[in-house]
Amino acid sequence: MPELPEVETLRRSLLPLVKNKVCQGVKFFRKDLRFPIPQKSLIKGLTNNTVQDITRQGKYLLFRVSDGSMLMHLGMSGRVTLQSTIEPQEKHTHAIFTFPGKTYFHFVDPRRFGSISWVPISGKHPLIDNLGYDPFSEKMNAKNIKILARKSRTSIKSFIMNAQKITGVGNIYACESLFHARIRPHKQSGKITLAQWEKWIYCLREVLNKSIAKGGTTLKDFFDPIGSKGYFSVSLSVYGKEGKPCPKCSNPIIRLVQSGRSTFFCKICQPA
């Protein structure tokens, strides 16, 4: 699943290609993805209108025009590719957006867990109304997160992956940030100290920024608009490395399952 750095990489790749440019047309090839596609609203809102900006809320992208925004989520396997034709080039192409200079953006999603929606000018939409703190928001600080978690008995890993608490932190970056912050992934979030929250927020931003700088994590389903893969997986410390030596202490990386997801950590380097 594309995570926050992949989505941010896509945003930065698309921005110079569409910002301040007119969307000349939109073509859909199915009525729904994970949710029904409001085709009439999208076609009316985008066609012959200028894309003023592309912003991100968690893992959602908002293509902002004068009357609202197109809201896009990549889901499990969604990606956007840059093509020179309006004709679908892949089997699972579900939407094509036309821009000047024979520029066509194809939304491809084999598993169809992605979504394309319309957000009115009010900015309100059920998919984003209840999102938690963004990792790069000024409001996401140790004091606020500690208050949010003060009565929580859930594990810190489950807590930081809850999009209604903190948005955009997926499994890979949860494991990596907790490792660098030296926090055990199954420790109760309500017992995390202020200093530990400060350390974790710092480590999370470091990991995310490094990944964004390198184009995102290399996952088989993720490509930027020109088809290039991200390269951050070569730098992962613990994720997917069960039994391999810890890069800090050489003890084997341990894998456990939390809420149906694999968790990777080092019991020596993550003592608390």
Side-chain angles (χ1 to χ4, degrees), residues 236-247:
L236 295 177
S237 297
V238 293
Y239 184 84
K241 299 191 176 184
E242 179 183 10
K244 294 183 179 180
C246 169

Side-chain angles (χ1 to χ4, degrees), residues 121-185:
I121 199 166
S122 68
K124 297 293 184 180
H125 193 282
L127 290 176
I128 56 175
D129 287 347
N130 296 312
L131 292 178
Y133 292 110
D134 187 274
F136 294 109
S137 167
E138 291 183 1
K139 293 182 180 180
M140 183 167 146
N141 55 57
K143 181 180 179 180
N144 285 341
I145 300 300
K146 183 169 174 55
I147 291 172
L148 193 63
R150 66 185 183 276
K151 295 182 180 180
S152 176
R153 295 184 178 180
T154 189
S155 70
I156 181 172
K157 180 167 180 268
S158 295
F159 181 87
I160 64 178
M161 290 183 64
N162 182 342
Q164 292 185 339
K165 307 293 185 184
I166 301 169
T167 183
V169 180
N171 201 26
I172 294 174
Y173 299 101
C175 291
E176 291 293 306
S177 60
L178 289 171
F179 170 72
H180 290 290
R182 300 178 62 85
I183 301 172
R184 288 216 171 181

Side-chain angles (χ1 to χ4, degrees), residues 3 15 36 38 43 47 56 85 89 101 105 111 114 116 121 132 143 152 164 167 181 189 198 204 208 218 223 231 269:
E3 297 200 33
L15 198 58
I43 291 171
T47 305
R56 179 187 55 76
T85 175
Q89 299 299 294
F105 293 100
R111 302 183 196 179
I116 302 175
I121 199 166
K143 181 180 179 180
S152 176
Q164 292 185 339
T167 183
S189 52
E198 288 177 346
L204 174 66
L208 292 175
T218 302
F223 295 80
Y231 298 102
C269 294

Side-chain angles (χ1 to χ4, degrees), residues 177-210:
S177 60
L178 289 171
F179 170 72
H180 290 290
R182 300 178 62 85
I183 301 172
R184 288 216 171 181
H186 41 286
K187 183 171 182 176
Q188 274 189 24
S189 52
K191 295 183 178 180
I192 302 297
T193 66
L194 188 66
Q196 285 179 313
W197 280 122
E198 288 177 346
K199 178 68 172 177
W200 175 74
I201 291 171
Y202 173 82
C203 291
L204 174 66
R205 288 172 175 165
E206 282 283 295
V207 170
L208 292 175
N209 277 321
K210 287 180 180 178

Side-chain angles (χ1 to χ4, degrees), residues 51-63:
V51 176
Q52 299 169 345
D53 200 3
I54 305 175
T55 59
R56 179 187 55 76
Q57 287 187 231
K59 298 181 186 180
Y60 289 91
L61 289 179
L62 290 103
F63 296 72

Side-chain angles (χ1 to χ4, degrees), residues 241-268:
K241 299 191 176 184
E242 179 183 10
K244 294 183 179 180
C246 169
K248 293 183 179 180
C249 72
S250 297
N251 277 277
I253 299 299
I254 296 171
R255 173 184 172 273
L256 59 85
V257 177
Q258 292 180 284
S259 303
R261 293 174 178 265
S262 293
T263 297
F264 301 89
F265 73 105
C266 174
K267 67 178 183 181
I268 303 300

